Amino acid sequence: MSDRAVAPDPLSGFQVAGWMDKLGTILCQRQRVMRAAAGWESRLLRERLDRQPLTAPLWITGLARSGSTILLELLASHPELASHRYRDFPPVLTPYLWNRLLEYMPLKAEAPAERAHGDGILVTSDSPEAFEEPAWMAFFPHLHDGRSPMLLDATVERPVFEAFLRDHMRKLLLVRGRPRYLAKANYDSTRHGYLRKLFPDARFIVPIREPLWHVASLMKQHRLFSAAQARYPAARRHLARVGHFEFGLDRQPTHCGNQDATDEIRALWQSGCEAEGWALQWAELYGLMAKEIETDDALAKAILVVRYEDLVARPRETLLRIFAHAALEPDETLLRQAEARLHLPRYYRPQFPAAEADAIHERTATVAACFGYG
């Protein structure tokens, strides 16, 4: 027997606990039942929900790998903001009753561990996470079918969903004991108009990243997720349930309303032109942001674009801008935490052949210039 140490499995973080896989399967195959359960929970809490104000909810949107997770981690520690947490899944549609149940369960002590993305962010079951998407999928089942536009604007009318969403947000505020709702929801980049109609005082933080670095990070994550899902089928099922289709074996383009561009992104990926496909996806999504800011004064006031490079180079200054935009009191502890932990990635650097780098630049240059990238 060899005495050599066995190298850690870089994909082991994608393993899904058996109970979570089984419970997730049961609940996600019964969407009508879960919607009914959420309605029953709302009726049970009706008086308390009606007394709970919904003031200036805050969404972190933008394309994945733009710094959205680190922003969520920082903002979720602000004493005014309440967000979803890892422990809220699988029964994420009934957050109040599930969290009350967890209070009576013996929970093991946890040591923070690096999340599956391999990006140095340490998490526990109490860490904030992006779990709003299952609620959208329960009412808009077409969103990730790969064929339909994801764009939802102020013309959309879905009274049943709108009532559900307001109640769901209030439940989280009751569970966390905080006054304002926070969500990281990358796909909400295509729903700014709809959300602002529902919540006129909503604020959106849209992180963005220099295209070459951004594309490199997106490609790295797609390779990692694809390998992990091939090794651990439960991981593939879990990511589909929570609505993460940005990477992996079930990857779908984010359809921003342009069918030709969406088809071209898919065709580029299928032909092996990963970098160019991601560059076009970058241009489509942030092009939508640029158009909203240019043509809709109300949305322009509600959206704050945050460049990743500014966040890591000047964290205090950038976070103070975010606090001001979101009407949040500056938190000195949070500011010091940001200064201590934010830095440019040290675990990879973008290395593209000249032809790929040129393709990325050609696809993104016009939109990138709108956000100060030369």
Side-chain angles (χ1 to χ4, degrees), residues 9-302:
D9 178 5
L11 304 180
S12 61
F14 284 88
Q15 294 183 78
V16 178
W19 72 267
M20 182 176 289
D21 186 37
K22 292 176 182 177
L23 183 58
T25 297
I26 292 169
L27 298 183
C28 292
Q29 288 178 348
R30 294 164 175 80
Q31 287 287 353
R32 290 185 180 181
V33 173
M34 290 310 299
R35 285 173 55 176
W40 180 81
E41 181 184 60
S42 295
R43 290 190 293 274
L44 181 70
L45 299 169
R46 187 76 271 152
E47 291 186 10
R48 295 184 65 186
L49 294 179
D50 288 344
R51 292 196 303 269
Q52 176 64 56
L54 275 178
T55 304
L58 180 62
W59 277 275
I60 302 168
T61 62
L63 193 59
R65 308 306 301 162
S66 58
S68 54
T69 297
I70 195 65
L71 280 172
L72 174 65
E73 289 253 322
L74 290 168
L75 291 174
S77 66
H78 192 285
E80 293 184 40
L81 297 175
S83 70
H84 292 95
R85 300 179 183 178
Y86 277 88
R87 71 185 187 192
D88 293 328
F89 193 83
V92 69
L93 299 191
T94 52
Y96 188 87
L97 293 177
W98 175 245
N99 276 272
R100 294 288 82 88
L101 176 63
L102 288 178
E103 292 176 359
Y104 295 96
M105 298 176 66
L107 301 178
K108 297 179 181 179
E110 290 182 84
E114 186 176 17
R115 68 179 187 147
H117 300 65
D119 54 10
I121 295 178
L122 304 180
V123 298
T124 69
S125 61
D126 213 34
S127 297
E129 176 57 314
F131 279 148
E132 193 185 87
E133 196 62 19
W136 291 87
M137 295 192 300
F139 289 84
F140 297 87
H142 71 280
L143 288 175
H144 301 289
D145 65 9
R147 300 181 302 275
S148 306
M150 295 182 179
L151 198 60
L152 300 175
D153 59 20
T155 65
V156 175
E157 298 281 350
R158 287 290 185 90
V160 174
F161 168 73
E162 293 158 15
F164 164 85
L165 182 61
R166 290 187 177 97
D167 281 348
H168 182 78
M169 294 162 66
R170 291 186 177 104
K171 291 171 189 176
L172 275 181
L173 300 183
L174 291 178
V175 167
R176 308 288 183 240
R178 294 183 176 185
R180 290 180 59 187
Y181 177 80
L182 166 70
K184 172 198 162 188
N186 295 115
Y187 290 119
D188 281 359
S189 300
T190 61
R191 305 163 188 160
H192 289 159
Y194 185 38
L195 285 169
R196 196 199 161 276
K197 183 185 78 167
L198 302 183
F199 308 98
D201 59 351
R203 288 294 180 266
F204 304 100
I205 308 298
V206 181
I208 189 173
R209 196 170 181 180
E210 190 279 325
L212 203 72
W213 275 86
H214 206 161
V215 169
S217 183
L218 290 161
M219 291 174 63
K220 177 180 179 293
Q221 287 301 300
H222 177 62
R223 289 192 296 269
L224 178 66
F225 275 56
S226 297
Q229 290 177 353
R231 182 176 299 181
Y232 301 115
R236 184 176 184 178
R237 295 192 293 269
H238 175 76
L239 289 165
R241 291 173 193 137
V242 300
H244 287 313
F245 299 99
E246 299 98 332
F247 313 114
L249 302 179
D250 296 316
R251 176 177 63 174
Q252 292 288 350
T254 299
H255 194 321
C256 299
N258 184 333
Q259 186 64 56
D260 290 341
T262 303
D263 291 342
E264 188 176 3
I265 293 167
R266 186 179 291 107
L268 286 166
W269 285 341
Q270 290 173 347
S271 66
C273 299
E274 284 284 317
E276 190 172 357
W278 278 118
L280 180 53
Q281 178 71 90
W282 190 99
E284 279 294 295
L285 189 135
Y286 288 110
L288 175 63
M289 302 298 107
K291 181 179 179 181
E292 288 180 339
I293 292 168
E294 181 182 358
T295 62
D296 189 320
D297 290 341
L299 271 182
K301 293 177 182 177

